[in-house]
Amino acid sequence: MKDETLKKLVFAALFAALACVATMVIKIPTPTGGYIHAGDAVVLLSAFILGPWWGAAAAGLGSCLADLLSGYALYAPGTFAVKFLVALVAGLLLGGRFIKNQFAKSLVAGIVGEVVMVLGYLVYEAFVLGYGAAALGGVPMNLIQGAFGVVAGSALYIALLKTKYFSFRF
């Protein structure tokens, strides 16, 4: 195995574990039975640091594992798909050349990624879980969680870029 591939694998495992822990440790219950958590910041950060594909794998696995360990197994397949897509979209957008400023670029990539999260859970709850129009009740809390994830994930990314360890993107 090449040194670069091994490094990506190790960091992907680290970000999956961080996503799981950030999702499980800080929980703010919502009226809809779910919770707001810090996991989305790590989901976006994994995409920003690891790139779209490795970041998406880490984000999907870590977030799915958090659902399984927290008693939300019904959401685990949807969470895997949604968080995978969030990180994939955010990672692809961050790699684009449409904005020069890294912080602005990470904010835009994060916002678009979190819109995917809100819409992904809406579709999963409405059609897969069969909640129908009642799934709209989760949108406001998902928007709050997404907003926190964008701000925290972008701020962490810029802070890590200033260190010698993360002055690059895989």
Side-chain angles (χ1 to χ4, degrees):
M1 186 178 293
K2 290 185 178 180
D3 186 46
E4 193 66 25
T5 304
L6 181 60
K7 190 184 291 186
K8 286 181 185 179
L9 183 62
V10 169
F11 272 97
L14 173 68
F15 275 104
L18 285 172
C20 181
V21 169
T23 302
M24 293 178 65
V25 171
I26 302 170
K27 291 183 184 178
I28 302 167
T30 65
T32 60
Y35 56 92
I36 295 174
H37 55 78
D40 277 34
V42 179
V43 165
L44 292 174
L45 188 60
S46 68
F48 297 162
I49 298 292
L50 298 173
W53 296 102
W54 285 94
L61 287 171
S63 300
C64 175
L65 184 59
D67 276 355
L68 290 171
L69 294 173
S70 298
Y72 290 90
L74 187 63
Y75 278 87
T79 293
F80 177 82
V82 168
K83 301 300 180 170
F84 184 94
L85 289 173
V86 167
L88 181 65
V89 167
L92 288 171
L93 289 175
L94 189 77
R97 305 196 191 286
F98 58 95
I99 299 174
K100 299 285 185 215
N101 181 287
Q102 284 296 315
F103 185 66
K105 190 187 286 193
S106 67
L107 283 176
V108 170
I111 289 168
V112 174
E114 292 301 328
V115 166
V116 169
M117 183 268 294
V118 172
L119 294 175
Y121 277 119
L122 178 63
V123 168
Y124 185 73
E125 290 174 349
F127 298 107
V128 177
L129 298 181
Y131 296 167
L136 289 168
V139 170
M141 295 301 140
N142 284 338
L143 287 170
I144 292 169
Q145 178 176 302
F148 173 79
V150 169
V151 172
S154 295
L156 287 169
Y157 173 62
I158 295 306
L160 287 174
L161 279 181
K162 295 181 181 190
T163 70
K164 66 179 181 176
Y165 300 108
F166 292 101
S167 60
F168 62 93
R169 191 167 171 231
F170 287 101

